[in-house]
Every structure is written in C-alpha cells, then in structure tokens.
Amino acid sequence: MRIAVGSDHAGYVLKEVLAGHLRELGHEVEDLGTHSEEPVDYPLYGAAVGRAVVGGAADLGLCVCGTGMGIGIAANKVDGVRAAVAHDVTTAHLARQHNAANVLCLGGRIVGTEVAKESLEAFLAASPAGGRHSRRVEEIAELETSGTGVVAPQVRGA
Ligand code: RB5
C-alpha cells in the first residue's frame, strides 16, 4: 500500500519508527514531514496527509502529534478525510472496518512503540465492512458538502 505519513515535532520520533516499520512490511511511504524535533504547527502536516489521501497520491494516511488529536482534527477538515485517533488494536481495527477511516492518528506522547505498531498493522489489515456502515459513512460525506447532512435522526438497527 502507499501510505502518506506526517507529524509535528511531538510526533516526529514515533512517525520515524512507524515509517520504518511500514517500509519493513513492504509498504510505500510518502513522508510529508516534519523532519526533526524542531517545533512546527501540526495543522500543516495533518492537511498534507489528508490531501495526499483524498487526492489519490496515497491509499491511507498516518498522522502523529503529541496526542494524535490536533493533527487529526486538522486532517478531518479536508473533505473526504476520515481521521481516527486509535491507541489500541481494537479501536484501530474498528475505525477502519466500521468508520472507513482513511487516516490513523497516534499520539507520540501517549502510546508506546509496540502498541502503536500493532494498532497501525490492525488498521491496515482491516477493510471497510460495507452494508449499514457504508450508509453512515455516506451520511458523514453529506455533512461535508451541505453542513447539515441527514434531516433528522432515524431509528435503525445497530
Ligand atoms: C505540541 O506541543 C502538541 O500540542 C501537539 O503535538 C498535539 O499534541 C496537539 O494536539
């Protein structure tokens, strides 16, 4: 797979570790920076990863900042991005399977290296489940263009 990766300074070390891990697993990594622990602003890197994914330069994205939150919020401002913070294997798997997340966000100050690697592997191994989940993902996309989305909540199966 082609994976776009990006981080700020607080996520730099973990981003480097995970980029290396991705390469070892045979993936193609597009490293959009940052390239040191010099302080930078995370929105730029979240947006860059999001644009790479939505624009088709990458299949999926990986964002790392201190918590995973800021860079993920920024990535989610790019239409078509579904960025999810997931610091455990199950959440990472379900983010991809149920939410069709296309960017995984991790916190370099939050999660250990091994859990981060396993969460990333689970994210990449999972596939969007389709069915009722597709409908909900489509409803998310409607929010991007109209800002209002579905008119009213409806009672539906789990
Ligand atoms: C940087 O100090 C830190 O605020 C940033 O990496 C991130 O955690 C924000 O969400």
Side-chain angles (χ1 to χ4, degrees):
M1 261 189 245
R2 297 166 305 149
I3 315 292
V5 304
S7 76
D8 71 354
H9 54 291
Y12 169 71
V13 171
L14 182 58
K15 185 261 288 177
E16 290 295 299
V17 168
L18 295 176
H21 188 57
L22 287 168
R23 290 187 185 102
E24 283 172 11
L25 293 173
H27 297 290
E28 190 181 315
V29 174
E30 185 178 2
D31 188 346
L32 300 170
T34 187
H35 300 295
S36 77
E37 292 186 88
E38 186 73 22
V40 292
D41 295 336
Y42 56 78
L44 308 177
Y45 299 91
V49 169
R51 289 182 187 129
V53 172
V54 171
D59 300 308
L60 293 172
L62 170 67
C63 285
V64 192
C65 66
T67 60
M69 298 292 179
I71 200 164
I73 290 169
N76 273 319
K77 295 297 180 184
V78 178
D79 282 0
V81 169
R82 292 176 299 279
V85 180
H87 287 136
D88 64 87
V89 168
T90 304
T91 307
H93 173 84
L94 289 174
R96 184 93 185 106
Q97 190 181 66
H98 284 196
N99 312 118
N102 50 15
V103 176
L104 176 67
C105 305
L106 296 168
R109 294 173 176 165
I110 305 296
V111 71
T113 303
E114 293 310 311
V115 172
K117 284 182 183 174
E118 288 179 18
S119 299
L120 176 57
E121 287 174 25
F123 182 77
L124 298 179
S127 302
R132 66 187 188 277
H133 300 295
S134 296
R135 184 184 65 238
R136 293 160 184 167
V137 169
E138 284 163 16
E139 289 170 358
I140 292 172
E142 286 172 28
L143 293 168
E144 291 170 347
T145 49
S146 70
T148 53
V150 288
V151 175
Q154 296 175 31
V155 177
R156 287 176 167 144

